[in-house]
Amino acid sequence: MSSETTAKPTESELEILQILWEKRNCTVREVHEILTLNKEAGYTTTLKIMQIMHEKGLVRRDTSSKTHIYSALASQEKTQQHLVSRLIDNAFSGSAARLVMQALGNHTSSKDEIEAIKKYLNELDHK
């Protein structure tokens, strides 16, 4: 999130942020249509969540035209860093290694992903 933004996104807000990070700018209707591809959601619920996100400083709203356009103010990288740090602290007693072992044990990684992980670990080892 931006240095001024300390709000923590809820699960629903995070789903909307992911859409905005990918698409850059969207109307509520566009966000709603993407959300309903994977789950049932009412348009007014999507609208209300996005209004709350605007109040929290997670999104920017351009009101210069009839249809309001939303974009993310919260940085994807900083939001992910915050969420991972919170997960490590709360679920893994502060152990990043336990998180990594759990993640790799529970999910199948592609050869490319495993190579990227090895490369990253090698780079950390040589710092």
Side-chain angles (χ1 to χ4, degrees):
M1 289 175 244
S2 73
S3 56
E4 306 92 37
T5 304
T6 56
K8 299 167 187 100
T10 65
E11 188 174 330
S12 294
E13 291 169 346
L14 191 56
E15 289 174 338
I16 291 170
L17 281 172
Q18 288 175 358
I19 292 167
L20 293 174
W21 288 328
E22 181 182 334
K23 301 291 184 185
R24 303 259 186 244
N25 301 306
C26 286
T27 64
V28 173
R29 173 120 358 250
E30 291 167 334
V31 169
H32 178 71
E33 287 172 0
I34 294 168
L35 281 176
T36 57
L37 294 174
N38 297 318
K39 71 177 197 174
E40 202 169 309
Y43 175 83
T44 55
T45 302
T46 303
L47 172 62
K48 184 65 178 170
I49 292 170
M50 292 179 73
Q51 290 171 336
I52 291 168
M53 291 173 72
H54 180 257
E55 291 169 13
K56 290 170 76 172
L58 294 171
V59 298
R60 170 185 306 114
R61 181 173 58 204
D62 178 356
T63 59
S64 62
S65 65
K66 183 179 176 185
T67 306
H68 296 178
I69 306 294
Y70 288 81
S71 58
L73 279 174
S75 152
Q76 183 174 11
E77 182 179 347
K78 290 188 189 249
T79 301
Q80 289 171 342
Q81 287 172 351
H82 170 76
L83 292 171
V84 168
S85 291
R86 198 166 79 191
L87 178 64
I88 290 169
D89 289 343
N90 294 338
F92 296 95
S93 303
S95 172
R98 287 177 51 199
L99 168 71
V100 171
M101 298 301 282
Q102 185 72 33
L104 292 175
N106 284 350
H107 299 282
T108 304
S109 299
S110 70
K111 278 190 164 199
D112 289 342
E113 289 173 322
I114 291 170
E115 286 304 315
I117 292 166
K118 286 179 183 178
K119 181 180 177 192
Y120 181 73
L121 290 173
N122 192 38
E123 289 170 4
L124 285 178
D125 200 32
H126 289 92
K127 281 188 178 182

